Amino acid sequence: MPIITILPHAQLCPEGKTIEIEEGKSLCEALVENAVEIEHACEMSCACTTCHVVIRQGFNSLNESTDDEEDLLDAAWGLEATSRLSCQVKLGQQDITIEIPKYTINHARENH
């Protein structure tokens, strides 16, 4: 089972975290199930950018992004070459390291 290393985020995961998740699971679901309260305003339907993450290690092991995801990412705060919407990432066999950006384009935080 792949291991996700979450780099520290001041509000969502201040000390960082490491979690083990089954292959093929959505990254966003895995984070939420393990008490990393990443925003997902569209309920993981690939209709917003609130679950934006940057893949720091293991990017090439993930499923490819769709055109819809790429179009949405263009509006994300802090976009990088290895940015993904966590609701669209399906975990492969390789371990990954992610960073949750400091901000989203939402004006108010959702309570999930």
Side-chain angles (χ1 to χ4, degrees), residues 4 6 12 17 19 21 25-41 43-44 50-51 53 86-87 91 98 100 109-112:
I4 303 167
I6 302 114
L12 303 178
K17 194 170 200 170
I19 54 178
I21 303 298
K25 187 167 196 82
S26 154
L27 176 57
C28 190
E29 288 176 326
L31 294 172
V32 171
E33 288 173 5
N34 285 276
V36 179
E37 295 298 322
I38 190 165
E39 290 188 58
H40 50 285
E43 296 300 321
M44 302 180 210
T50 59
C51 70
V53 297
S86 64
C87 70
L91 296 167
I98 68 164
I100 301 169
R109 177 134 164 67
E110 301 289 327
N111 293 320
H112 288 285

Side-chain angles (χ1 to χ4, degrees), residues 20-79:
E20 191 172 0
I21 303 298
E22 69 249 19
E23 182 181 344
K25 187 167 196 82
S26 154
L27 176 57
C28 190
E29 288 176 326
L31 294 172
V32 171
E33 288 173 5
N34 285 276
V36 179
E37 295 298 322
I38 190 165
E39 290 188 58
H40 50 285
C42 71
E43 296 300 321
M44 302 180 210
S45 66
C46 193
C48 73
T49 63
T50 59
C51 70
H52 169 227
V53 297
V54 179
I55 311 298
R56 294 293 180 206
Q57 292 181 341
F59 181 82
N60 292 329
S61 71
L62 303 173
N63 61 309
E64 289 190 32
S65 57
T66 63
D67 288 341
D68 289 341
E69 180 183 358
E70 291 291 333
D71 290 344
L72 284 168
L73 280 169
D74 287 340
W77 184 90
L79 183 67

